[in-house]
Amino acid sequence: MWKRSPPSTSARVKAVTTDIPATSVPSTLGVLLAGGLARRMGGGDKPMRTIGGRTILERVIARLSPQCSGLILNANGDPARFAAFGLQVVADDVPGFPGPLAGILAALDWTAANRPEIEWVLSAAGDCPFLPRDLVARLHDARARENAQLVVAASGEQSHPVIGLWRVALRDELRHALVVEDLRKIDRWTARYPLATVTWPTEPLDPFFNANTVEDIAEAERLAALDDAS
């Protein structure tokens, strides 16, 4: 899983929106987390790597757009490099690349300022090309059933806390944890709240497979053929 990563005022493109979010699911904004440093790949933007003739980011957008009321991209540096994807680019405002919690905070702040009608944000790693088509619906179902404030995904025996639902109203508490407490691990923050976990099967492929290394890209090519066939 991708482990390292107020809204950017210099974002240059608009958020992707969908016309028909599922009626049983609350309006949910999706944030694709691409703020990491990709050290194990020698740097660069992992979501821009190509598998099966499409960039990983294209695959993530295609999978999540039908499930969300809009998508934004959390990334640092020049946002123009993502212009072709038509996503609002929102940068971290907590310095020092403190990890994915900073990207989640940036998304919560952006949503509060720009989409105040939305109470929930879905976060997803920008290097996970095979995300479930029922991701948002199942996370919200667990949240409602368990009266949870946060929900995270899992597969097999592994939790994927970077992929989950976050209540926008918790953004001030998250900022305090990041800036004042210097908290960096998602697990430590989610442990403070009622948390639900939803597990997906890993056959025929793990929907939360992510490309962290050059070797992972080769495996992703094989899995992309399975995913496209399904």
Side-chain angles (χ1 to χ4, degrees):
M1 186 55 54
W2 183 79
K3 298 290 186 186
R4 307 295 175 201
S5 96
S8 171
T9 57
S10 61
R12 305 177 184 180
V13 289
K14 296 182 179 179
V16 169
T17 58
T18 61
D19 296 327
I20 47 172
T23 56
S24 61
V25 175
S27 293
T28 303
L29 186 91
V31 56
L32 313 182
L33 300 174
L37 301 177
R39 291 187 179 96
R40 282 182 283 177
M41 281 192 183
D45 296 303
K46 287 188 290 181
M48 303 292 272
R49 303 288 177 125
T50 300
I51 59 171
R54 303 165 65 194
T55 65
I56 295 174
L57 186 55
E58 284 180 89
R59 289 177 175 272
V60 176
I61 293 170
R63 194 57 58 91
L64 290 184
S65 288
Q67 302 185 53
C68 296
S69 301
L71 295 179
I72 62 175
L73 178 68
N74 165 243
N76 300 300
D78 185 359
R81 68 192 191 277
F82 297 107
F85 297 96
L87 296 178
Q88 178 84 33
V89 179
V90 180
D92 297 349
D93 77 340
V94 178
F97 293 101
L101 278 177
I104 292 167
L105 174 61
L108 298 183
D109 283 341
W110 188 92
T111 304
N114 296 277
R115 299 290 301 274
E117 78 281 6
I118 292 180
E119 297 181 12
W120 293 95
V121 166
L122 169 84
S123 66
D127 60 356
C128 285
F130 312 123
L131 292 168
R133 292 179 173 85
D134 59 354
L135 178 62
V136 176
R138 288 195 60 195
L139 293 179
H140 270 296
D141 180 66
R143 173 193 59 78
R145 281 188 290 103
E146 301 183 32
N147 195 28
Q149 292 202 56
L150 304 172
V151 192
V152 297
S155 58
E157 301 298 320
Q158 182 179 1
S159 177
H160 307 294
V162 77
I163 300 173
L165 280 179
W166 312 89
R167 188 183 290 275
V168 175
L170 294 178
R171 69 188 189 282
D172 290 337
E173 295 174 37
L174 178 54
R175 179 172 293 279
H176 184 276
L178 273 170
V179 176
V180 178
E181 301 176 45
D182 196 35
L183 185 145
R184 294 293 181 263
K185 291 185 177 295
I186 295 181
D187 293 357
R188 288 182 58 196
W189 193 65
T190 58
R192 301 178 178 185
Y193 302 93
L195 175 70
T197 300
V198 182
T199 301
W200 274 262
T202 57
E203 297 295 338
L205 58 81
D206 187 339
F208 305 113
F209 172 91
N210 67 306
N212 271 326
T213 66
V214 174
E215 291 75 18
D216 288 339
I217 293 294
E219 174 64 4
E221 290 281 354
R222 184 185 71 82
L223 296 177
L226 292 176
D227 185 61
D228 292 343
S230 66

